[in-house]
């Protein structure tokens, strides 16, 4: 988990811990699941370190197209060429976001419905140049996370509309 200032990272971690504790107390997840999730969380303010050896990045900043474009340009420069870049946007053009990268074929939308821990639906969104491989990889990740998948984009591998 990355943010631009340590205070934002700390606030995000505390929010996640509080939410997870509520889910444990309500029996939605076990304490072992909670501990496992928190152990996988690596908070940082160093974007280069956060993305230097990853296969998938999911951006989830607020809905500001210029900010998302800047972040994707930075992610493109800092992450390995193999990395798929996904945006959690619910309303912005993935094609426009992808235009700031040199890997448009590896840019997709991956919109999680809120609250993401409880709602198991992920909308997978094609950009104009998204590759079938990138979309399939994101589908497989969502499946591994036991999520239902829907699609917006081209008809490949499911029917959809371009985003």
């Amino acid at each position: 988990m990355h943010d631009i200032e340590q205070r934002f990272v700390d606030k995000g971690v505390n929010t996640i811990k509080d939410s997870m504790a509520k889910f444990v107390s309500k029996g939605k997840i076990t304490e072992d699941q909670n501990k496992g999730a928190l152990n996988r969380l690596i908070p940082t303010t160093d974007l280069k370190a956060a993305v230097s050896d990853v296969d998938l990045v999911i951006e989830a900043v607020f809905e500001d197209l210029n900010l998302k474009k800047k972040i994707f340009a930075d992610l493109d420069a800092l992450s390995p060429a193999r990395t798929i870049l996904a945006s959690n946007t619910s309303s912005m053009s993935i094609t426009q976001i992808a235009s700031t990268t040199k890997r448009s074929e590896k840019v997709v939308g991956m919109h999680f419905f809120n609250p993401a821990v409880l709602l198991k639906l992920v909308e997978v969104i094609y950009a104009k140049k998204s590759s079938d491989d990138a979309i399939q990889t994101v589908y497989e990740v969502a499946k591994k996370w036991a999520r239902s998948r829907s699609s917006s984009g081209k008809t490949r591998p499911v029917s959809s509309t371009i985003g």
Side-chain angles (χ1 to χ4, degrees), residues 32 35 40 73 80 82-83 88 100 114 125 137 146 148 155-156:
D32 285 344
K35 286 179 183 175
R40 289 187 300 275
R82 73 178 189 275
T83 304
N88 186 43
T100 64
N114 285 316
I125 307 158
T137 298
S148 300
T155 303
R156 300 183 293 169

Side-chain angles (χ1 to χ4, degrees), residues 7-156:
R7 66 186 170 115
F8 298 140
V9 171
D10 294 343
K11 182 178 179 184
V13 169
N14 288 333
T15 299
I16 291 168
K17 285 180 178 179
D18 290 346
S19 293
M20 299 294 280
K22 287 177 189 172
F23 294 135
V24 170
S25 71
K26 293 179 179 182
K28 301 288 184 185
I29 62 172
T30 67
E31 185 57 41
D32 285 344
Q33 289 171 315
N34 179 40
K35 286 179 183 175
L38 293 176
N39 286 338
R40 289 187 300 275
L41 186 64
I42 303 170
T44 184
T45 58
D46 183 347
L47 183 59
K48 185 175 181 177
V51 302
S52 65
D53 189 31
V54 297
D55 297 316
L56 173 65
V57 173
I58 305 169
E59 161 276 317
V61 300
F62 54 90
E63 301 290 81
D64 178 317
L65 184 58
N66 290 329
L67 177 59
K68 287 181 182 286
K69 284 181 169 184
K70 182 191 178 320
I71 289 169
F72 272 73
D74 291 345
L75 291 170
D76 189 44
L78 296 171
S79 63
R82 73 178 189 275
T83 304
I84 296 170
L85 306 177
S87 177
N88 186 43
T89 186
S90 60
S91 63
M92 297 189 169
S93 167
I94 301 302
T95 299
Q96 285 185 4
I97 294 168
S99 72
T100 64
T101 74
K102 296 175 183 167
R103 63 175 98 188
S104 294
E105 74 285 355
K106 292 188 179 208
V107 178
V108 303
M110 192 173 187
H111 177 237
F112 293 79
F113 289 78
N114 285 316
V117 173
L118 296 179
L119 295 179
K120 301 298 184 184
L121 183 62
V122 175
E123 179 185 22
V124 177
I125 307 158
Y126 276 90
K128 282 186 181 176
K129 295 182 181 178
S130 298
S131 72
D132 290 341
D133 287 343
I135 293 293
Q136 189 60 43
T137 298
V138 169
Y139 261 68
E140 292 302 318
V141 168
K143 186 176 177 181
K144 184 176 180 181
W145 292 343
R147 302 238 170 219
S148 300
R149 284 98 37 220
S150 72
S151 180
S152 288
K154 310 174 227 185
T155 303
R156 300 183 293 169

